[in-house]
């Protein structure tokens, strides 16, 4: 059986704040919403992909003020390095949002929280693979070329540092998935 990621469902407290954040900051659109059986609660479906009815769903039933603590973070890949800078520009304007740029060698990531304290990572893939876990803070002011050189300088001496294509080819052979 081969699985692929589809979606996550969150219990939320402040529906309006969460919809605003996931729509206006992260660019998700509401694709559907409606009541869950006779529960009196709605579920709100959101996606950025025409191929996924929903990538995130929210059920506004949380009562406590504490951040959710059963998931560390949700991670989203972005296709463009420049998206990371644009995102952090938006995040800086929102009270209570803290962000942390961190590179794992194979990604340049920005970690942050949503309005209810759920962890989020938005990352851009570098052209390399390096064994995990690893993490080093990186400077969001770097342009793409400078950031890639920095990753190579910071992680290039790791024994597992290699082009990501080589790593994927090895994994395909290991999995018998040619």
């Amino acid at each position: 059986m081969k699985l692929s990621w589809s979606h996550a469902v969150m219990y939320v407290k402040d529906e309006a704040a969460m919809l605003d954040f996931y729509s206006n900051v992260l660019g998700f659109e509401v694709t559907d919403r409606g009541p869950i059986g006779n529960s009196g609660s709605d579920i709100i479906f959101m996606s950025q992909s025409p191929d996924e009815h929903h990538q995130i769903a929210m059920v506004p039933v949380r009562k406590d003020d504490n951040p959710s603590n059963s998931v560390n973070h949700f991670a989203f890949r972005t296709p463009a390095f420049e998206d990371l800078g644009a995102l952090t520009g938006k995040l800086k304007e929102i009270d209570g949002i803290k962000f942390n740029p961190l590179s794992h060698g194979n990604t340049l990531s920005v970690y942050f929280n949503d309005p209810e304290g759920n962890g989020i990572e938005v990352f851009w893939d570098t052209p390399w693979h390096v064994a995990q876990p690893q993490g080093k803070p990186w400077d969001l002011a770097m342009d793409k070329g400078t950031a890639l050189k920095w990753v190579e300088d910071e992680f290039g001496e790791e024994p597992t540092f290699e082009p990501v294509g080589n790593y994927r080819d090895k994994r395909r052979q290991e999995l018998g998935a040619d």
Side-chain angles (χ1 to χ4, degrees):
M1 169 176 35
K2 182 176 175 153
L3 302 176
S4 63
W5 182 256
S6 174
H7 65 270
V9 179
M10 299 183 288
Y11 294 123
V12 302
K13 182 174 182 179
D14 187 338
E15 177 184 328
M18 294 293 277
L19 283 173
D20 180 63
F21 183 82
Y22 280 83
S23 297
N24 295 321
V25 176
L26 296 182
F28 285 88
E29 294 180 355
V30 173
T31 59
D32 257 330
R33 74 177 296 152
I36 302 172
N38 296 325
S39 70
S41 297
D42 273 2
I43 185 167
I44 303 131
F45 300 100
M46 304 183 82
S47 185
Q48 290 185 350
S49 170
D51 297 325
E52 292 288 344
H53 173 267
H54 60 284
Q55 296 169 295
I56 293 282
M58 299 177 191
V59 182
V61 296
R62 282 192 57 216
K63 304 288 185 230
D64 64 330
D65 289 325
N66 297 322
S68 176
N69 65 1
S70 54
V71 173
N72 181 275
H73 69 275
F74 299 107
F76 301 98
R77 175 181 284 113
T78 185
F81 170 83
E82 295 75 17
D83 291 340
L84 299 174
L87 172 64
T88 55
K90 289 180 180 180
L91 295 174
K92 286 178 184 178
E93 297 174 6
I94 303 170
D95 287 337
I97 304 295
K98 298 176 183 146
F99 61 92
N100 179 29
L102 196 65
S103 176
H104 302 292
N106 54 0
T107 66
L108 289 162
S109 301
V110 177
Y111 288 84
F112 55 97
N113 60 285
D114 72 17
E116 293 192 2
N118 298 297
I120 301 172
E121 174 190 7
V122 173
F123 67 90
W124 176 75
D125 289 311
T126 71
W128 302 290
H129 166 78
V130 63
Q132 299 299 309
Q134 304 221 28
K136 297 180 182 183
W138 68 284
D139 183 355
L140 286 160
M142 290 190 274
D143 64 29
K144 181 177 175 181
T146 305
L148 287 171
K149 171 121 179 51
W150 177 86
V151 169
E152 215 170 353
D153 291 346
E154 289 294 315
F155 295 93
E157 297 300 317
E158 294 289 329
T160 59
F161 188 85
E162 64 181 324
V164 72
N166 293 358
Y167 171 76
R168 290 179 181 155
D169 288 345
K170 287 183 218 172
R171 288 292 295 144
R172 281 186 195 95
Q173 289 176 355
E174 290 169 3
L175 295 170
D178 289 0

